[in-house]
Amino acid sequence: MRLRILGTAAGGGLPQWNCACPGCARARAAGPRAWRTQECLAVSVSPGAWYLVNASPDVRTQILAAPGLAPPDGTRHTPLRGVLLTDGELDHTTGLLALREGAALDLYAPPAVLAALDGPFPLRTLLAPYGSARWHALRSGPGEDALLLDGGRLRVTPVPVSDKRPRYAAGSDAPGPWAVAYRFDDVATGAAALYAPSLARWPDGLDAALAGVSCLILDGTFWSEDEMDRATGGRGSGARTMGHLPVDGPEGTLVRLRGRSGVRCFYTHLNNTNPLADPSSAERAVLAGTPVEVPSDGTEIEL
Ligand SMILES: [Zn+2]
């Protein structure tokens, strides 16, 4: 199984176009090699067939930077077979507008997300005249079959992680889950990975879904619960309220990852305020001696 972490930033990327906070200023001064595009993953278990998880607004540059995602010489065929959405957030879905030309893609999302993309954000209506999208509702939970892709070799199991709606769908009464993680199993080799870019809490079922997984790519949006408040001088926008379990603290994700020997763990979806984005930060040094890494855009993992 090959995983390519196409983008590693939360919505807006790093630096954000309209921000000069310490994190954005550092990245801007360091130049494009220090920049992070918005969160997106590509996964493959056989040559020439890739699936995206989420489609960020940066998806065009992310695909162009990935040699494995280029069309073979002299063709208009793409190795991209489909896209799995973890949720309906704008920074995870608007890239689909950039993928409208040509390729016939299979698109998978939880039913609530499909409803939102038919309603308050009518992406499905917008894409319909281009004729390239086949939408599939992906149900999760006990009794639901896993999805088999790539001729049955790639097994995809959605794991419900939260009922947080995108802001544009705040009024929706569609039943959740509104956000899922995905477990990927290479049926041929037994390799397994789990991708959870949005995690408001450590949900029931997540530990069970991690059994046998050797690569875990997790929500690293915020280092601390009050990071946004300190960055903006605001009050009340705690990390968990915004749908993201912080890295640090007794309830954070790092304590759950520390002891996982033999599992490579990566933080993704880093917010511009997260000091982990700075390789020289004291917070980054805390990860030394743990199985957790902070990947750059374009990091490839082979399992
Ligand atoms: Zn900033």
Side-chain angles (χ1 to χ4, degrees):
M1 179 185 298
R2 287 173 71 196
L3 302 161
R4 183 176 173 103
I5 305 177
L6 295 169
T8 55
L14 180 74
Q16 294 195 355
W17 68 275
N18 58 351
C19 187
C21 74
C24 290
R26 181 196 60 77
R28 198 173 276 115
R33 286 203 298 184
W35 296 0
R36 292 177 182 273
T37 59
Q38 295 163 87
E39 172 272 314
C40 199
L41 178 80
V43 57
S44 172
V45 293
S46 64
W50 286 85
Y51 294 87
L52 290 187
V53 186
N54 294 329
S56 91
D58 299 315
V59 72
R60 177 180 172 274
T61 50
Q62 291 168 338
I63 288 175
L64 291 178
L69 287 165
D73 287 348
T75 76
R76 271 185 63 84
H77 296 295
T78 167
L80 194 58
R81 295 283 180 271
V83 183
L84 299 142
L85 301 177
T86 59
D87 52 61
E89 297 291 342
L90 293 178
D91 55 321
H92 297 170
T93 55
T94 47
L96 293 175
L97 292 167
L99 299 179
R100 70 190 176 281
E101 309 101 338
L105 296 175
D106 286 295
L107 309 176
Y108 303 87
V113 172
L114 289 188
L117 299 181
D118 259 338
F121 175 34
L123 187 63
R124 298 176 67 181
T125 308
L126 293 171
L127 288 174
Y130 299 87
S132 57
R134 294 182 293 260
W135 294 89
H136 309 273
L138 201 46
R139 297 176 199 285
S140 51
E144 295 295 341
D145 291 333
L147 173 68
L148 290 171
L149 299 176
D150 200 3
R153 181 162 167 186
L154 178 63
R155 187 166 67 226
V156 182
T157 312
V159 182
V161 297
S162 97
D163 284 336
K164 179 178 174 278
R165 294 153 173 72
R167 213 181 294 180
Y168 67 76
S172 169
D173 56 5
W178 278 84
V180 297
Y182 287 111
R183 174 177 168 137
F184 297 102
D185 286 88
D186 183 336
V187 173
T189 67
L194 188 126
Y195 189 61
S198 301
L199 209 54
R201 58 191 166 80
W202 198 270
D204 295 341
L206 187 56
D207 280 314
L210 288 173
V213 161
S214 60
C215 175
L216 171 55
I217 306 171
L218 202 66
D219 183 346
T221 308
F222 297 114
W223 170 260
S224 59
E225 174 66 25
D226 63 349
E227 185 176 311
M228 275 299 275
D229 284 350
R230 284 190 284 117
T232 62
R235 286 175 68 85
S237 319
R240 263 167 282 201
T241 311
M242 298 176 72
H244 303 285
L245 205 51
V247 170
D248 192 34
E251 307 278 307
T253 52
L254 185 56
V255 292
R256 295 178 181 270
L257 302 181
R258 277 184 184 279
R260 293 183 191 267
S261 62
V263 181
R264 291 186 73 184
C265 303
F266 298 87
Y267 278 128
T268 191
H269 203 269
L270 274 70
N271 197 56
N272 58 326
T273 53
N274 189 336
L276 285 181
D278 178 358
S280 63
S281 67
E283 289 81 0
R284 184 74 84 88
V286 170
L287 299 187
T290 76
V292 190
E293 302 169 50
V294 178
S296 308
D297 285 11
T299 295
E300 289 208 6
I301 304 146
E302 193 144 0
L303 303 176

